[in-house]
Amino acid sequence: MRFLTKLFVISAIGIGITTNAQQQFNEQDTLRGSITPERVWWDLNFYHLNISVNPDTKTISGSNTIRYTVLQEQQVLQVDLQPPLKIEKIEQDGKEVSFKSNGNAHFVQLIKNQKKGAINELVVHYSGAPKEAVRAPWDGGFSWKKDANGNHFVATSCQGLGASVWWPNKDHMYDEVDSMAISVEVPKNLMNVSNGRLKSVEKHDKTNTWHWYVESPINNYGVNVNIGDYVHFGEKYEGEKGVLDLDYYVLRDHLEKAKEHFTDTPKMMKAFEHWFGPYPFYEDSFKLVEVPYLGMEHQSSVTYGNQYKKGYLGRDLSSTGWGLKFDFIIIHEAGHEWFANNITYKDMADMWVHEGFTAYSENLFLDYHYGKEASAAYVIGTRANIQNDRPIIGQYHVNNSGSSDMYYKGANMLHTLRQLVEDDEKWREILRGLNAEFYHATVTTQQIEAYISKHTKKDLSAFFNQYLRTTMIPILEFKQDGTSISYRYTNIVEGFDMPLQIADSKTWLFPSSEWKTTDLKTETPNFKIDPDFYIKTKKIE
């Protein structure tokens, strides 16, 4: 969900494709952001994260069991954990093995021969005071807060920064673990809520251990710990795949407020199952969990901190009024269950796949409940948030994301694409098809682009290059002489020739970089392009 800050300026090369080349990267960026030789040879099967959290000292300790399948016969395996947390020891088959550390990356020297096809386990023991989030969820780490009654109120968030900021794992998005157990020991007066379903609560003298289990594949930043004086309520939703449990965990004092406010949740589920297909994690339920920061798309454990307000902390991001018809965090973060948690980027450079589609989901929620005109007004209104500071796609293999324009430039790109499809039912089939084709999968932007091009039966390569890989917004220059209109595109990549529809008309124009002339049959003194197309126009006198 993170609304990313601007990090650096862009530069232009070649035919107008802009890059983030001025950003400087180091060895740690590569170790974090690439599929290293020490990662590629093993495939994740299962994690058991088993930790004790001490809010009084702001420390954690415990272990992560890593089960994996050997794909190639290698003996050095990379595990990631960020200081100040420290690995105490690593074991395989009960025997301690050695490791060498390079910053956040730790290279484990395995003694046991790693035979192709074998399923092996490592247990990584660790402890320490994890990085404290100063401004969660943007900077990430642990949030150590207290509620109004003085009870500890604790949560994790780590998108971008990496899950290794608080637990040891294979910290790259390309390889999702198939399933996961999460055991968290907390003080007896508190509850821990994590991903998946609660299996049991183990009671001790001064603490309790909450055991959760995730049946579905899960990306590492989607794993979370939430600790507080929670109360639980829930409801059953009759969904496309049967009965879905909707569970809510909120601070004790907020129970009645939450029961009224969380009515947006079944409305969200109805709209998104219509547009995107069945909720992808029926096995693990859907949860909203109150946290001491704004919110995040943790899989099946979506975190909520929007202060029980409509809009984004009470503000309409579109300035149209439509953004106050829903709670932004409930709708946006839950939208990520389809685009981020079901369909997950392989490389952080392609974060637009998460954020562009999910920002677009906001206006599809409006479309379902309030109609097409409302949804169009909303997404067009969000154009005021677009900076065009740098391309939406970042640099690959160095854990680098592109511009924050991935949100609303991405959403407006998709809204424009919907106009090119023309048939709304066909567009819905494409969105549902993406979630079926890439169900529980990690993807590249090229796979998403190819799927959409195939199913729209259009060559969209220049279209995606224009909006994802440059900061240029197409300009339609036009001259008018009576009923005659001459027009061409400028500020475009090679081959960009997106058709446009004239506002309040069924007439289409087919511009390219060359001047063309069309007779409109009637004089059109206020010639305008339909605002659903994300372009600029310039009249030439």
Side-chain angles (χ1 to χ4, degrees):
M1 173 261 170
R2 308 180 320 141
F3 284 91
L4 304 170
T5 55
K6 285 66 179 172
L7 297 178
F8 46 82
V9 299
I10 53 90
S11 60
I13 59 172
I15 59 169
I17 301 292
T18 22
T19 74
N20 298 313
Q22 290 184 352
Q23 172 83 341
Q24 298 298 310
F25 299 100
N26 58 35
E27 182 185 25
Q28 285 299 307
D29 296 319
T30 300
L31 289 174
R32 168 79 170 84
S34 63
I35 305 172
T36 62
E38 293 80 14
R39 283 172 169 159
V40 72
W41 65 267
W42 55 287
D43 178 57
L44 273 172
N45 301 147
F46 174 76
Y47 286 135
H48 181 194
L49 179 61
N50 186 3
I51 63 172
S52 176
V53 179
N54 188 332
D56 287 332
T57 60
K58 297 184 179 180
T59 59
I60 61 176
S61 62
S63 65
N64 187 29
T65 299
I66 304 172
R67 186 180 304 154
Y68 62 92
T69 299
V70 178
L71 304 178
Q72 304 167 20
E73 295 184 2
Q74 300 290 336
Q75 293 298 124
V76 181
L77 178 151
Q78 180 180 339
V79 171
D80 303 286
L81 183 68
Q82 299 179 32
L85 290 172
K86 180 181 177 182
I87 294 178
E88 304 293 350
K89 63 179 178 178
I90 301 177
E91 298 175 304
Q92 186 161 63
D93 296 341
K95 297 178 180 179
E96 192 167 341
V97 295
S98 64
F99 62 93
K100 293 181 179 180
S101 300
N102 183 350
N104 302 335
H106 309 275
F107 298 95
V108 185
Q109 183 65 55
L110 300 169
I111 300 171
K112 178 181 178 179
N113 287 335
Q114 304 296 298
K115 296 181 179 180
K116 187 175 181 179
I119 297 175
N120 295 327
E121 285 187 355
L122 278 183
V123 183
V124 181
H125 300 265
Y126 76 111
S127 64
K131 178 183 179 295
E132 185 169 353
V134 177
R135 189 169 168 262
W138 294 276
D139 62 338
F142 260 81
S143 294
W144 306 98
K145 306 292 183 180
K146 289 192 176 181
D147 66 19
N149 299 316
N151 298 302
H152 287 292
F153 192 22
V154 180
T156 58
S157 56
C158 56
Q159 185 184 12
L161 180 62
S164 57
V165 74
W166 68 276
W167 61 287
N169 64 91
K170 188 179 194 178
D171 204 358
H172 193 288
M173 300 292 284
Y174 87 100
D175 187 9
E176 291 187 344
V177 71
D178 298 330
S179 59
M180 183 171 184
I182 305 169
S183 301
V184 183
E185 183 183 20
V186 299
K188 207 170 188 66
N189 65 317
L190 303 174
M191 180 187 299
N192 171 70
V193 182
S194 290
N195 314 78
R197 292 185 183 270
L198 182 63
K199 293 300 181 181
S200 64
V201 181
E202 185 181 345
K203 296 184 178 181
H204 315 290
D205 288 341
K206 296 182 179 180
T207 62
N208 289 333
T209 301
W210 299 78
H211 296 282
W212 296 82
Y213 189 79
V214 184
E215 286 193 30
S216 308
I218 185 169
N219 64 58
N220 50 46
Y221 86 84
V223 176
N224 69 345
V225 164
N226 307 289
I227 301 165
D229 181 24
Y230 288 125
V231 290
H232 165 257
F233 69 102
E235 58 187 311
K236 304 290 185 182
Y237 177 79
E238 295 286 346
E240 288 195 14
K241 288 177 67 175
V243 177
L244 173 63
D245 293 318
L246 304 179
D247 290 299
Y248 310 112
Y249 293 85
V250 300
L251 292 181
R252 189 172 303 277
D253 290 353
H254 297 163
L255 177 60
E256 295 308 316
K257 187 187 300 185
K259 285 181 176 179
E260 179 180 348
H261 195 77
F262 284 2
T263 54
D264 267 359
T265 306
K267 290 175 64 179
M268 169 278 298
M269 198 62 69
K270 194 168 186 66
F272 289 170
E273 286 209 327
H274 170 82
W275 282 107
F276 301 145
Y279 172 69
F281 308 107
Y282 271 71
E283 301 86 351
D284 295 320
S285 79
F286 175 87
K287 296 188 294 298
L288 271 183
V289 187
E290 187 172 2
V291 290
Y293 62 86
L294 185 61
M296 196 70 185
E297 66 259 27
H298 302 107
Q299 182 174 309
S300 74
S301 181
V302 172
T303 49
Y304 175 84
N306 201 40
Q307 301 176 12
Y308 300 96
K309 295 178 179 179
K310 295 293 187 180
Y312 181 95
L313 292 172
R315 184 165 65 92
D316 176 8
L317 294 177
S318 74
S319 299
T320 64
W322 289 111
L324 297 177
K325 297 292 186 182
F326 58 91
D327 184 308
F328 174 90
I329 290 298
I330 294 176
I331 304 310
H332 180 94
E333 302 307 341
H336 276 305
E337 294 282 42
W338 286 265
F339 292 96
N341 298 336
N342 185 41
I343 302 175
T344 307
Y345 60 70
K346 274 187 165 73
D347 192 292
M348 191 174 172
D350 290 334
M351 191 186 283
W352 82 270
V353 174
H354 294 195
E355 302 300 353
F357 279 97
T358 305
Y360 181 62
S361 77
E362 297 159 26
N363 78 292
L364 290 182
F365 172 85
L366 287 169
D367 190 299
Y368 186 87
H369 290 289
Y370 297 95
K372 195 171 181 179
E373 289 186 9
S375 69
Y378 176 84
V379 72
I380 292 168
T382 63
R383 289 177 190 170
N385 301 313
I386 298 172
Q387 302 294 317
N388 280 313
D389 57 340
R390 54 195 174 96
I392 287 175
I393 291 180
Q395 288 209 57
Y396 291 97
H397 314 306
V398 287
N399 197 47
N400 173 250
S401 63
S403 168
S404 60
D405 284 346
M406 69 179 76
Y407 291 84
Y408 292 117
K409 186 176 178 182
N412 274 280
M413 177 188 75
L414 293 170
H415 182 66
T416 299
L417 188 51
R418 178 182 182 178
Q419 315 314 310
L420 301 179
V421 174
E422 297 185 70
D423 182 344
D424 284 346
E425 187 55 33
K426 178 65 177 176
W427 180 235
R428 176 173 170 251
E429 287 176 8
I430 290 170
L431 295 173
R432 290 174 66 94
L434 282 167
N435 279 279
E437 178 78 10
F438 303 112
Y439 184 72
H440 291 179
T442 60
V443 302
T444 64
T445 189
Q446 288 79 10
Q447 287 175 285
I448 299 297
E449 292 175 38
Y451 181 92
I452 296 174
S453 290
K454 176 182 177 181
H455 290 273
T456 58
K457 298 180 180 179
K458 300 177 186 294
D459 180 359
L460 295 170
S461 53
F463 175 89
F464 286 119
N465 282 339
Q466 180 79 34
Y467 289 107
L468 295 177
R469 298 178 176 89
T470 84
T471 58
M472 300 186 297
I473 303 305
I475 299 172
L476 183 77
E477 294 185 341
F478 68 94
K479 306 173 186 177
Q480 197 166 1
D481 182 10
T483 63
S484 177
I485 188 94
S486 298
Y487 54 90
R488 70 171 180 182
Y489 274 132
T490 60
N491 209 40
I492 56 171
V493 300
E494 183 177 350
F496 185 86
D497 59 357
M498 179 177 71
L500 298 169
Q501 195 166 20
I502 298 174
D504 303 316
S505 168
K506 293 184 179 180
T507 301
W508 284 82
L509 302 180
F510 298 90
S512 67
S513 59
E514 303 296 325
W515 284 103
K516 295 182 179 180
T517 301
T518 297
D519 189 348
L520 299 178
K521 307 299 183 186
T522 59
E523 288 210 30
T524 311
N526 297 315
F527 172 81
K528 291 181 181 179
I529 296 298
D530 190 324
D532 287 323
F533 294 85
Y534 181 40
I535 67 159
K536 296 180 179 179
T537 58
K538 180 180 179 181
K539 187 174 183 179
I540 306 297
E541 301 294 346

